[in-house]
């Protein structure tokens, strides 16, 4: 049985609370659409505040036993979850395509990447190490231990419905926390499928609860106001992240924020242009441009700008667009009508301000929410498109003359998530990487994500890091014990 069929009963699926599958208390549902044709895929129960508090109760009741489960056992459950995800990666990928729209090869990449978080944290679960020191005055020992922070609320976006969930669930489980995952309303099916796989892997009832809800603000506020909730880990837009931080502040809830980006992609005159174009295609087009670390602004040295733009436009123009499950398709639709409309408006306004459309520029005449891969050249430095998280297959190219100017342009944004630098001079690459105000920099690489690396942003791109040991530390509290003997 496919993962989708296993979830659905007569086209409907339920909330996952305390190991059970329950309808929303008021019967509300979300219609999940296939963005390649706008058709309804499933009706998913949409949790109320009451359901959210039931999920908090389930997580709270499961908390002590899960925290006391030996780390090795928690790690082995995560390992089984990794193996189940890997065995069912093709099915999971199809489900991701159906509700999110990305092309199948991208979805397979996401399923594999998502599973890797379970493998990484299956190994980290046994590495929760404290410290022991003699106090400088010699009067006591300073013992520091790390304990699970407690019931955690995880809120994820639609763009990577599997990976953004496993990047939180993996470290939370490894740390010994129980949780309520609220997936994005556009893509709740993948999260519910993950809950089934985790159940099969041996995660006890109540440890991972999944609560899709159309009433995100209300449900999140109800959970954060509950004193049993000790952590919120959010991935999504800067705007919603800021609102959640306010709510978390009201109740002093520990908060991790992975927010929006506006990544600069710098190509210096000493770069290998062909390799920069390959990197640009990955950094821009991974996930159809709907990635927080997607290259959003291309700054290219005037000496190589024409050559770069020519090759980049040719590569973008050759991308095969269509429904994600169709063979050979590399670019699926964007997530919904609003996203498609926004792209049309952004490109239109930029062209109106003097940019040249080197390729693409339109939403093609076909059902679904498609947008052509687009390169804009001669973009002026004050163009509003450079301040906007584009979130689609549109690439504005701006020229620069000097390294100082390139750094200033790169830093001219409120965001600070990722940046990309292409140069054959490693000293320059490292110098520029240090000067750029972001949490992550790729030097001569368009793909940087890795569960073994610290992922996160500075400025308005967020607080905290996911992945590596920092990802688990986010779900641990440090306790200091002063001991005399
Ligand atoms: P979004 O902020 O609209 O939604 C994210 C999640 O928050 C969803 O589950 C949504 O239902 C929920 N939500 C919406 N309003 C809420 C509220 N008032 N209170 C609590 N929860 C609420 O973002 P999106 O459109 O789903 O995702 C795209 C955004 O996510 C982009 O800005 C992208 O850069 C960002 N993102 C960041 C990272 C990262 O690691 N930094 C990764 C992926 C996506």
């Amino acid at each position: 049985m496919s993962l989708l069929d296993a979830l659905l009963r007569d086209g409907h699926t339920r909330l996952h609370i305390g190991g059970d599958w329950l309808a929303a208390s008021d019967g509300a549902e979300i219609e999940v659409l296939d963005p390649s044709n706008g058709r309804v895929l499933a009706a998913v129960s949409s949790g109320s505040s009451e359901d959210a508090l039931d999920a908090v109760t389930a997580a709270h009741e499961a908390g002590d036993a899960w925290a006391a489960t030996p780390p090795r056992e928690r790690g082995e459950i995560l390992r089984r979850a990794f193996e189940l995800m890997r065995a069912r990666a093709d099915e999971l990928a199809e489900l991701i395509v159906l509700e999110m729209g990305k092309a199948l090869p991208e979805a397979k990449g996401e399923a594999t990447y998502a599973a890797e978080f379970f493998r990484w944290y299956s190994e980290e679960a046994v590495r929760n190490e404290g410290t022991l020191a003699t106090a400088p005055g010699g009067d006591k020992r300073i013992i520091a231990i790390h304990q699970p922070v407690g019931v955690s609320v995880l809120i994820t976006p639609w763009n990577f419905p599997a990976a953004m969930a496993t990047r939180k669930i993996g470290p939370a489980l490894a740390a010994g926390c129980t949780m309520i995952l609220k997936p994005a309303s556009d893509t709740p099916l993948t999260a519910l499928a993950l809950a089934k796989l985790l159940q099969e892997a041996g995660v006890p009832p109540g440890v991972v609860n999944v609560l899709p809800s159309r009433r995100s603000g209300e449900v999140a506020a109800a959970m954060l106001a509950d004193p049993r909730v000790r952590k919120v880990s959010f991935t999504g837009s800067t705007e919603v992240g800021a609102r959640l931080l306010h709510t978390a502040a009201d109740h002093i809830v520990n908060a991790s924020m992975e927010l929006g980006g506006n990544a600069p992609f710098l190509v210096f005159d000493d770069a290998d242009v062909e390799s920069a174009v390959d990197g640009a295609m990955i950094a821009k087009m991974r996930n159809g441009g709907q990635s927080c670390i997607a290259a959003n602004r291309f700054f290219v040295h005037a000496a190589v700008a024409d050559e770069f733009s020519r090759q980049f436009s040719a590569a973008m123009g050759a991308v095969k667009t269509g429904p994600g499950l169709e063979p050979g398709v590399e670019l699926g639709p964007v997530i919904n009508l609003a996203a498609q409309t926004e792209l049309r408006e952004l490109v239109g306004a930029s062209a109106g301000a003097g940019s040249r459309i080197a390729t693409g520029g339109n939403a093609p005449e076909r059902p679904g929410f498609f947008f052509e891969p687009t390169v804009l050249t001669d973009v002026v430095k004050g163009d509003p498109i450079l301040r906007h998280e584009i979130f689609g297959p549109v690439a504005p190219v701006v020229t620069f003359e000097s390294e100082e100017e390139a750094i200033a342009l790169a830093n001219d944004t409120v965001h600070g998530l990722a940046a990309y630098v292409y140069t054959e001079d490693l000293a320059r690459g490292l110098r520029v990487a240090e000067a750029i105000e972001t949490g992550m920099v790729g030097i001569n690489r368009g793909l940087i994500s890795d569960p073994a690396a610290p992922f996160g942003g500075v400025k308005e791109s967020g607080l905290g890091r996911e992945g590596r040991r920092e990802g688990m530390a986010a779900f641990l509290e440090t306790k200091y014990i002063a001991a005399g003997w």
Side-chain angles (χ1 to χ4, degrees):
M1 200 190 303
S2 80
L3 282 173
L4 182 58
D5 292 338
L7 280 178
L8 296 182
R9 234 175 258 139
D10 301 326
H12 297 258
T13 184
R14 308 266 168 105
L15 312 172
H16 184 56
I17 300 177
D20 291 328
W21 296 87
L22 307 168
S25 55
D26 57 4
E29 290 189 320
I30 303 166
E31 280 193 337
V32 180
L33 306 184
D34 175 343
S36 73
N37 54 30
R39 283 203 288 267
V40 177
L41 274 175
V44 174
S45 292
S46 171
S48 61
S49 299
E50 197 181 311
D51 299 317
L53 295 180
D54 286 349
V56 170
T57 300
H60 180 67
E61 285 173 358
D64 287 349
W66 183 246
T69 300
R72 174 71 76 205
E73 210 173 306
R74 292 202 299 262
E76 280 167 2
I77 290 174
L78 274 165
R79 176 78 201 191
R80 277 200 294 281
F82 159 68
E83 275 157 13
L84 281 170
M85 269 186 89
R86 198 159 60 168
R88 305 193 71 172
D90 286 353
E91 283 173 70
L92 195 63
E94 273 189 35
L95 182 55
I96 294 171
V97 176
L98 283 175
E99 67 172 348
M100 188 274 167
K102 67 181 74 177
L104 187 59
E106 290 268 357
K108 286 186 177 171
E110 180 185 346
T112 308
Y113 172 53
E116 285 299 329
F117 284 101
F118 286 165
R119 170 149 68 176
W120 178 264
Y121 286 105
S122 75
E123 293 157 354
E124 282 299 290
V126 293
R127 311 211 195 293
N128 174 2
E129 291 163 353
T131 54
L132 168 67
T134 300
D139 58 328
K140 61 179 174 298
R141 300 293 191 273
I142 295 171
I143 302 171
I145 60 169
H146 306 293
Q147 297 178 301
V149 62
V151 173
S152 301
V153 170
L154 318 178
I155 303 179
T156 51
W158 51 263
N159 63 340
F160 290 96
M164 295 303 96
T166 60
R167 198 165 79 176
K168 298 186 191 301
I169 297 171
L173 285 176
C177 293
T178 57
M179 64 210 75
I180 303 99
L181 168 67
K182 198 219 74 65
S185 319
D186 283 318
T187 58
L189 295 168
T190 304
L192 292 165
L194 285 176
K196 278 223 177 279
L197 292 181
L198 286 163
Q199 225 177 355
E200 201 179 328
V203 171
V207 172
V208 178
N209 305 279
V210 181
L211 188 95
S213 177
R214 176 73 69 203
R215 298 159 277 189
S216 317
E218 189 187 312
V219 155
M223 289 193 282
L224 295 194
D226 187 313
R228 296 170 297 177
V229 169
R230 300 308 322 139
K231 170 91 198 177
V232 58
S233 175
F234 173 77
T235 298
S237 61
T238 296
E239 188 194 355
V240 173
R243 245 182 285 158
L244 267 177
L245 271 175
H246 276 285
T247 314
D250 284 342
H251 309 283
I252 321 292
V253 172
N254 179 321
S256 296
M257 296 280 144
E258 294 285 349
L259 308 178
N262 185 3
F265 189 102
L266 274 48
V267 183
F268 284 94
D269 48 350
D270 56 11
D272 173 340
V273 171
E274 214 168 292
S275 137
V277 169
D278 290 347
M281 288 304 291
I282 297 168
K284 177 74 249 179
M285 296 301 280
R286 175 165 170 255
N287 221 34
Q290 300 175 109
S291 154
C292 53
I293 54 170
N296 212 48
R297 300 169 294 149
F298 290 80
F299 298 118
V300 186
H301 192 279
V304 290
D306 285 350
E307 184 56 20
F308 175 85
S309 297
R310 193 184 57 72
Q311 288 189 32
F312 187 31
S313 302
M316 289 283 273
V319 169
K320 186 169 178 215
T321 307
L325 290 177
E326 229 172 74
V329 162
E330 297 161 291
L331 175 68
V334 292
I335 187 70
N336 52 32
L337 179 62
Q340 186 195 42
T341 307
E342 192 173 338
L343 290 176
R344 204 190 264 122
E345 287 170 1
L346 274 175
V347 170
S350 187
S355 302
R356 191 175 74 80
I357 299 174
T359 187
N362 291 307
E365 289 292 326
R366 60 181 301 166
F369 314 121
F370 290 90
F371 202 83
E372 292 169 349
T374 299
V375 176
L376 298 168
T377 59
D378 306 323
V379 176
V380 295
K381 288 174 183 130
D383 190 323
I385 200 169
L386 302 173
R387 303 216 171 271
H388 200 91
E389 187 176 23
I390 296 172
F391 241 61
V394 174
V397 181
V398 178
T399 55
F400 69 82
E401 301 284 346
S402 70
E403 188 176 308
E404 294 66 32
E405 187 191 2
I407 293 168
L409 286 167
N411 288 341
D412 185 20
T413 169
V414 296
H415 290 107
L417 194 58
Y420 304 88
V421 180
Y422 272 77
T423 170
E424 291 295 284
D425 176 351
L426 189 58
R428 163 179 271 165
L430 290 168
R431 187 168 63 235
V432 172
E434 285 190 357
I436 289 184
E437 298 163 347
T438 59
M440 299 170 281
V441 182
I443 299 179
N444 296 330
R445 279 198 65 82
L447 184 64
I448 57 174
S449 303
D450 195 307
F455 189 107
V458 300
K459 294 160 80 175
E460 292 189 16
S461 287
L463 300 169
R465 295 292 178 272
E466 292 193 319
R468 207 171 68 157
R469 66 183 71 89
E470 288 89 335
M472 189 165 91
F475 289 98
L476 293 167
E477 285 282 19
T478 299
K479 180 177 282 169
Y480 155 48
I481 303 169
W485 65 75

